[in-house]
Amino acid sequence: LRGVEKLLPLLRSHSESVQSLAAGALRNLVYQSDQNKMEVEAKGGLGAILQALNSSRDVETRRELTGLLWNLSSHDLLKERLSAEAPSVLTRSVLVPTSGLSEGENPKDELLADGVAFHHATGCLWNLSSAGPGSRKAMRECEDLIDSLVYYIRGTIADYKTDDKMLGLIGDLGFASALESTENCVCILHNLSYQLEEQLPRGSVRVLRESRHSLAPRPSAVGCFARRSAKITERREECCPLLEEKSNPQGPEWLWSTITVRMYLSLLARSTRQGTQAAALGALQNITAGNGALSRAIAFTVVQRENGLQHVRKMLEEGGSDVRRTAVALLRNASRYQELHAAIVEQVLPELVRMLPDCGADLGATATVCLCDTLNSLSRSQRQHVRALLAAGALPGIVALGRNGPGRAGQAARDLLRTMWSYSDLHGTYKKVSPEETASVS
C-alpha cells in the first residue's frame, strides 16, 4: 500500500491534527516491522520526524512522534544514525522541559512538559545508549542530556515524595509508567558509564588526582619529625582517595560525581523495581571497573564515605538474579583494594558465602567467577579473612565448586582453595571444620 511513502510528507503539514494522525499511523506501521523501519530511513523520514518534533507544541503530536522514534530506535541498523541526530532534539524538546532542569528560565518551554513524551523519549535514548562507543560518546557530549536525566531522577527520590511529584506530570500515563521512566533514565546512565575511565579526557583524571590530594590538610613542617610526618600524611592520602566534591557538575561530569554516587545508593535504598536496582548497581560497577585513579576513588567513596555496603548487602539478600549478579561484580571491583577488605568482610561476607552454588544460589558462570575472585582477594590479604570464611561455612561450597564447577568457575574455586591452603597454621582448623573436604584440598 506504500503507506510509509504516503504518510511521511504529512509530517510537514501545518495542521497539528494531520501531523498527529500521520505520526500515529507511522508508529503503528513500524512496530515490530524492520522492513517498514528501514523504509522510513530510506525515504528520509528520520529527519522529517525530528524536524516535526522540534517544531511541534501539540501534546498528542509530540507523544506520537516520540513513540515513533522509540519504535525506530529498536532496530540496530538505525541506532547509529539516530544517535547522531536524535539526542539533541529529544533533550531540548522533551527532557529539559519535563525534568524541570530549566525551570523558571523559559516559561514557554515549561508548557512542553509531559510525562508520556518523556517516557517515550527516554525509552528511545535507552536503546540508543546501547549502540556502541560512538553512540555513547555522542550522548555524553549532548548538551543538557545527562543533566536532565540526573535532575529527573533526583527529583523522584527527593523527600520520599515520588508519587506527588510524578503524578502531577504524567496525567493519564499512570504511576507505574512514571516509575518506568525513572528506570529508563538510570539505564541510560548505566550504559553511558560503560568504559568511562578509559574514554575520559586526560584532564579529567589529572584534576581528580589534584583534588584528591588537596582534600587533606597539608602537614606543617615543625620539629625534627616533620619530614616523616609529611610522608605518613601523604601515605594516608594515597590510601584513602576521595572524589572531588563539585557542587555543580555539568554534562559527563555527572557520571563520576559524588552526588550521582549518592543518587545510585538512594535508589538501592528506596526503589523496589528490579530493573532500577540492577541499573544503579551496574552504573556503580562500571565506574569502579577501571584501573586508574577515578575507579579507585569511587570505590573508596562507595565503601568508606557513603557506607554503601549496607545497600549492596540488601541487594544480595533481596534482589533478583540480575541484581545479585551485578552486586557481586561491584564487590569484585571493590575487593581489588586491600584497604576496603575489612569493611567487605564485616558487612557482606555472610551474604557472599550464601551466593556459592552449593548454598542454592544460581549466579551463572561469570558471576560465580567474580564471587570466587572476590573471596580470593580477601583471603590473600589476611588469614583472619580466611577464618571468617570458615566461620561462615564457606568451605564445603568452595570445595564442591572446585570439584564439579564448569570451566572458569571451577578453576576460580580451585585458585581460592589454594590460597586458603597456603596458611599452614590453619590446616588443623580445616580438618576440624570438614575432614572430607580438607582431604581434597590438600
Side-chain angles (χ1 to χ4, degrees), residues 4 26 28 40 48 56 68 137 151 166 174 204 246 249 251 268 271 299 328 374 403 411:
V4 170
L26 284 166
N28 290 333
V40 168
S56 176
L68 171 56
K137 184 175 185 295
Y151 197 91
M166 293 312 305
S204 301
K246 193 167 185 178
L268 297 182
S271 177
V328 168
T374 301
R403 284 175 176 169
Q411 183 59 53

Side-chain angles (χ1 to χ4, degrees), residues 41 82 251 405:
E41 197 272 340
L82 281 169

Side-chain angles (χ1 to χ4, degrees), residues 127-145:
N127 285 339
L128 299 184
S129 67
S130 66
S135 296
R136 290 195 299 272
K137 184 175 185 295
M139 292 178 67
R140 286 171 187 158
E141 296 174 352
C142 180
E143 185 177 3
D144 288 337
L145 191 155

Side-chain angles (χ1 to χ4, degrees), residues 60-371:
E60 289 302 325
T61 302
R62 291 162 55 79
R63 290 180 175 183
E64 295 292 358
L65 289 166
T66 50
L68 171 56
L69 287 168
W70 190 4
N71 286 349
L72 290 169
S73 68
S74 66
H75 196 307
D76 288 340
L77 296 179
L78 296 181
K79 287 181 180 179
E80 186 173 351
R81 168 76 190 279
L82 281 169
S83 297
E85 302 177 20
S88 59
V89 176
L90 288 169
T91 299
R92 183 172 57 251
S93 300
V94 182
L95 267 59
V96 169
T98 308
S99 68
L101 180 66
S102 62
E103 188 173 357
E105 296 179 9
N106 193 337
K108 289 184 178 180
D109 283 349
E110 291 176 23
L111 298 175
L112 300 178
D114 177 58
V116 179
F118 186 88
H119 181 59
H120 296 166
T122 52
C124 173
L125 291 169
W126 181 7
N127 285 339
L128 299 184
S129 67
S130 66
S135 296
R136 290 195 299 272
K137 184 175 185 295
M139 292 178 67
R140 286 171 187 158
E141 296 174 352
C142 180
E143 185 177 3
D144 288 337
L145 191 155
I146 295 175
D147 307 71
S148 297
L149 298 176
V150 173
Y151 197 91
Y152 181 92
I153 298 168
R154 294 180 69 198
T156 64
I157 61 179
D159 302 322
Y160 294 90
K161 294 181 180 178
T162 307
D163 296 27
D164 294 340
K165 175 181 174 64
M166 293 312 305
L167 285 172
L169 283 174
I170 62 180
D172 61 357
L173 179 60
F175 184 57
S177 291
L179 292 175
E180 290 173 8
S181 293
T182 301
E183 184 175 320
N184 288 351
C185 293
V186 183
C187 288
I188 296 167
L189 295 176
H190 173 205
N191 287 343
L192 295 185
S193 65
Y194 181 65
Q195 295 182 337
L196 177 65
E197 188 168 28
E198 297 175 18
Q199 298 167 6
L200 273 180
R202 288 186 177 181
S204 301
V205 176
R206 180 181 60 81
V207 170
L208 175 70
R209 285 172 178 164
E210 290 177 355
S211 64
R212 174 164 61 87
H213 285 294
S214 67
L215 285 172
R218 299 293 181 185
S220 56
V222 178
C224 59
F225 296 105
R227 178 180 242 173
R228 181 181 175 190
S229 299
K231 288 183 178 180
I232 293 173
T233 303
E234 182 180 351
R235 188 156 55 244
R236 186 181 298 118
E237 289 184 23
E238 186 65 30
C239 290
C240 301
L242 296 173
L243 286 172
E244 179 186 16
E245 287 281 4
K246 193 167 185 178
S247 61
N248 188 29
Q250 293 183 343
E253 291 176 343
W254 282 110
L255 295 175
W256 66 86
S257 166
T258 304
I259 298 171
T260 310
V261 170
R262 294 191 191 109
M263 180 186 78
Y264 292 140
L265 294 175
S266 294
L267 287 168
L268 297 182
R270 302 181 187 182
S271 177
T272 59
R273 292 183 64 85
Q274 297 281 316
T276 301
Q277 293 169 350
L281 282 168
L284 290 170
Q285 190 258 325
N286 280 344
I287 58 180
T288 57
N291 296 314
L294 176 63
S295 293
R296 179 182 172 88
I298 293 174
F300 275 73
T301 298
V302 170
V303 175
Q304 292 188 336
R305 173 175 283 188
E306 302 301 331
N307 194 23
L309 290 182
Q310 60 177 320
H311 305 301
V312 179
R313 181 175 64 244
K314 176 187 172 187
M315 295 299 100
L316 291 173
E317 293 172 340
E318 303 174 6
S321 56
D322 286 345
V323 172
R324 287 185 288 119
R325 279 193 287 266
T326 312
V328 168
L330 171 59
L331 290 170
R332 192 270 304 269
N333 291 347
S335 73
R336 294 181 299 167
Y337 309 111
Q338 187 171 341
E339 301 91 336
L340 304 182
H341 285 185
I344 295 172
V345 170
E346 179 182 350
Q347 297 187 50
V348 298
L349 185 63
E351 288 72 26
L352 283 173
V353 169
R354 283 195 285 272
M355 295 297 105
L356 288 166
D358 190 59
C359 299
D362 183 19
L363 290 178
T366 301
T368 301
V369 171
C370 285
L371 174 59

